[in-house]
């Protein structure tokens, strides 16, 4: 059995991610592993021809809205950490495409286990392929997906 030393849990403030966080805390305690918590803000964008021509990427939708979204996410992340008795020390708030940022963080920090809820707040992605599915298939480390209590009782 592998002895994990570094665990990353991805949260999006859904019930799934809250239960994933609880499971990650249990595993970190069991393995005496470091536990990092990441929340990725998927900032809305729109195509601006100048931005696409220069950077190949669409421009940010609205800088003020982006700042508001980031502030709200920061407050929600701190609240979630507080509810689970965790400090902000190992919490990471980034913006970008969730699956890309989770994988990037995992690779850069030599994470050995990623813990995620099976579904999140981005319901429309169930038709196109979820963040969890993308991380599951592209991570260089183990990935644990956590069912909610409701799913386990089916």
């Amino acid at each position: 059995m592998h002895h994990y030393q570094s665990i990353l849990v991805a949260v999006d403030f859904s019930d799934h991610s809250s239960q994933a966080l609880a499971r990650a805390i249990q595993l970190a305690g069991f393995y005496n592993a470091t536990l990092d918590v990441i929340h990725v803000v998927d900032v809305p964008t729109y195509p601006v021809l100048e931005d696409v021509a220069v950077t190949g990427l669409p421009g940010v939708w609205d800088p003020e809205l982006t700042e508001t979204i980031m502030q709200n996410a920061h407050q929600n992340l701190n609240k979630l950490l507080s509810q689970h008795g965790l400090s902000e020390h190992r919490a990471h708030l980034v913006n970008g495409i969730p699956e890309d940022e989770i994988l990037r963080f995992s690779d850069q920090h030599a994470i050995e286990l990623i813990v995620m809820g099976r579904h999140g707040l981005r319901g429309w992605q169930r038709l196109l392929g979820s963040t969890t599915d993308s991380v599951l298939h592209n991570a260089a480390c183990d990935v644990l997906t956590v069912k909610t209590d409701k799913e386990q009782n089916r």
Side-chain angles (χ1 to χ4, degrees):
M1 182 175 191
H2 186 78
H3 183 86
Y4 298 108
Q5 294 179 9
S6 58
I7 299 173
L8 174 66
V9 59
V11 298
D12 65 0
F13 313 126
S14 67
D15 289 340
H16 288 266
S17 71
S18 183
Q19 290 192 358
L21 178 57
R23 180 69 54 85
I25 292 168
Q26 289 175 333
L27 290 169
F30 179 80
Y31 289 113
N32 195 29
T34 61
L35 176 62
D36 288 282
V37 180
I38 189 170
H39 174 73
V40 182
V41 176
D42 192 358
V43 175
T45 59
Y46 68 98
V48 176
L49 294 179
E50 293 83 16
D51 290 340
V52 174
V54 174
T55 66
L57 300 171
V60 173
W61 183 33
D62 180 345
E64 289 180 23
L65 181 59
T66 300
E67 182 62 29
T68 301
I69 292 170
M70 292 298 288
Q71 288 174 354
N72 287 337
H74 183 72
Q75 290 172 353
N76 288 335
L77 184 57
N78 288 342
K79 180 180 176 185
L80 183 64
L81 294 171
S82 177
Q83 289 171 345
H84 288 273
L86 299 173
S87 75
E88 297 176 36
H89 177 68
R90 299 201 67 104
H92 310 276
L93 178 64
V94 298
N95 63 18
I97 300 170
E99 51 268 30
D100 293 346
E101 296 304 324
I102 293 165
L103 293 170
R104 184 180 347 274
F105 184 95
S106 173
D107 291 342
Q108 290 175 347
H109 294 89
I111 298 296
E112 295 177 341
L113 175 65
I114 300 171
V115 180
M116 306 177 68
R118 287 181 47 154
H119 302 288
L121 294 175
R122 298 171 72 185
W124 61 269
Q125 275 202 332
R126 291 183 186 154
L127 299 174
L128 304 173
S130 71
T131 299
T132 301
D133 188 56
S134 180
V135 170
L136 184 65
H137 287 92
N138 295 299
C141 63
D142 292 346
V143 179
L144 172 66
T145 61
V146 178
K147 289 183 175 184
T148 63
D149 292 336
K150 293 175 189 173
E151 289 177 308
Q152 291 177 4
N153 292 331
R154 288 184 192 171

